[in-house]
Amino acid sequence: MSSIVTATNLNLSYDGSDSEIIKDANFVINKGDFVFITGPSGSGKSTLLKSLYGQIKPFNGELVVGGLYMSDISKKKLQELRQHLGIIFQDYKLINEWSVEKNVSLPLIIAGYSKDIQQTQAKRLLHHVKLSEYIHKYPLELSGGEQQRVGVARALSKNPFLILADEPTGNLDDYSSNVIWDLMENTCEQLNTTVIVVTHKIPSAFTIPYRHLIIENRGIYEIH
């Protein structure tokens, strides 16, 4: 089993200050794991997630993501790593002036793929998230749940080895939330993609095996 994320005595703080948000955390996340991270508001869930895509560097200890040490990763290596991550945000972060198709293609545009590949992949993924008929629409013409499905399609556009999701259903109704969870379950199960989700509540109808890490009093513990 190959590890995707390894934390060893990991300490995280805001802006390099010496008051740790996360202290002496140790955990390993393997290929194909579906991991929920929960904890009270302000406990450091989003801070941990940001450290996994290099927005926050470890204050102390070690964090390895995809074989790269995040404490001293170069700008170039970080950009390369991010090209193999899919990130899903609570507020979607879609570009309102761009069509749904172009939003899904964004990671491919950044990576310099041809127009043909962009369009083929966008079409395939929009079919996957059941939004084929919205391909030429714009984000503001869609409901919140539909916009988040575009966000999921965009996160999958480069076949990432790791998907990071920050409260992906926090703004959605029950129906839209269930659609998002189904999509994420399928991604993990069918593509063997590692998925890490920060959430305030694990969905009750979740059907695949998952791991549960909880952040409490600056520590990270696994619930079995």
Side-chain angles (χ1 to χ4, degrees), residues 56-64 68-74:
I56 291 174
K57 285 197 171 185
F59 173 66
N60 233 319
E62 237 170 49
L63 178 64
V64 183
L68 297 169
Y69 287 80
M70 301 302 283
S71 50
D72 54 6
I73 191 169
S74 69

Side-chain angles (χ1 to χ4, degrees), residues 6-51:
T6 304
T8 310
N9 300 326
L10 176 65
N11 289 258
L12 297 173
S13 67
Y14 287 128
D15 306 322
S17 70
D18 56 3
S19 55
E20 294 98 341
I21 305 288
I22 305 284
K23 188 173 172 62
D24 295 332
N26 293 279
F27 59 87
V28 175
I29 294 171
N30 295 307
K31 183 168 174 54
D33 280 353
F34 198 111
V35 182
F36 286 108
I37 297 172
T38 66
S41 291
S43 60
K45 300 186 296 293
S46 293
T47 302
L48 177 61
L49 208 66
K50 285 173 181 171
S51 74

Side-chain angles (χ1 to χ4, degrees), residues 106-120:
L106 178 61
L108 300 172
I109 294 168
I110 291 168
Y113 282 82
S114 71
K115 214 38 179 263
D116 278 357
I117 289 174
Q118 291 171 30
Q119 289 172 340
T120 303

